[in-house]
Structures are given as structure tokens and as C-alpha cells.
Amino acid sequence: MLQADYQERVDPNDKQAQNLLEEMRAHIKKLEEMRKNEDPRLSFSTPEFKEAQRMFADGFKKNFGKPIEWGMVKDHPWSTPQLRKLDTPVDVHGKPWPSVEKQQPESK
């Protein structure tokens, strides 16, 4: 786009402008050569990538289905939060995580 605008405005007798135009053409050609071998599956705009990113973000928000065992804890409202192991694991909403003993039936 810029090259086309510049091409129209450039004076054909201006050697410096012609050199710049040639440099721009060479750079564009080099970029096209680099892109020729590019794998389109690695693009961040493909539907597959966006779906994978969405699934990861959803899983991240839910801690990938695992209990939260560590958290930033304040001893007092005025103190700074510190990373500590929680006494009881919680889910992403802060409710106690159902313990493994309660889920499994007792076998005797």
C-alpha cells in the first residue's frame, strides 16, 4: 500500500528515491519468500488455535478440575497477602473441595 503510494509520487529522475523503491521491492520479495514455506497451522488466527485457546482458558478458570491447595492469604485485613498452603483444599469459588474419603464408598 505504502509502496504503491510512494511509487506514484516518486520522481523517476531522482536516483535516491529510485534506490529506496528498489530496496522496498527487495524487502517485500524477501518477506514473500519467507512466507512461502510458512506452515499456516502455526498461525494464531486459525479456528483450530482459537478453539484450543478457548478450551485452555476455560480449563484455567476452573483450575483444570483440581482443587486449589495454595492461595494468597491475609492474616489481617491490613496485612499483605502471602502464598501459603491452605488448611483445606477449595474449589474455584472458595467452597471446600469434596474430600476423596467422602467420594469413595467404604469397603470393609
Side-chain angles (χ1 to χ4, degrees):
M1 203 180 330
L2 289 173
Q3 183 184 5
D5 293 343
Y6 186 72
Q7 249 177 334
E8 292 171 6
R9 289 184 287 138
V10 72
D11 180 18
N13 298 328
D14 187 0
K15 188 172 176 85
Q16 200 173 20
Q18 291 299 322
N19 288 341
L20 180 61
L21 201 53
E22 283 301 315
E23 192 176 318
M24 290 168 70
R25 286 184 187 128
H27 186 68
I28 289 173
K29 186 176 180 181
K30 181 180 175 187
L31 287 174
E32 288 172 352
E33 286 292 318
M34 288 171 55
R35 280 206 154 153
K36 183 175 69 174
N37 299 323
E38 192 176 89
D39 189 354
R41 294 174 295 180
L42 298 178
S43 172
F44 294 114
S45 61
T46 61
E48 294 86 5
F49 177 81
K50 288 183 179 179
E51 178 64 17
Q53 188 178 37
R54 185 193 61 77
M55 288 173 60
F56 177 82
D58 290 347
F60 186 82
K61 290 174 190 171
K62 299 173 188 168
N63 200 35
F64 301 102
K66 296 180 181 176
I68 298 172
E69 298 175 351
W70 292 80
M72 298 297 283
V73 179
K74 280 186 175 184
D75 291 329
H76 308 285
W78 59 86
S79 61
T80 57
Q82 295 179 337
L83 182 64
R84 293 201 185 132
K85 187 163 177 77
L86 303 176
D87 297 332
T88 57
V90 295
D91 65 5
V92 292
H93 301 294
K95 298 176 184 156
W97 187 263
S99 65
V100 178
E101 296 89 29
K102 292 178 184 175
Q103 289 179 347
Q104 296 176 348
E106 292 183 30
S107 56
K108 291 185 180 181

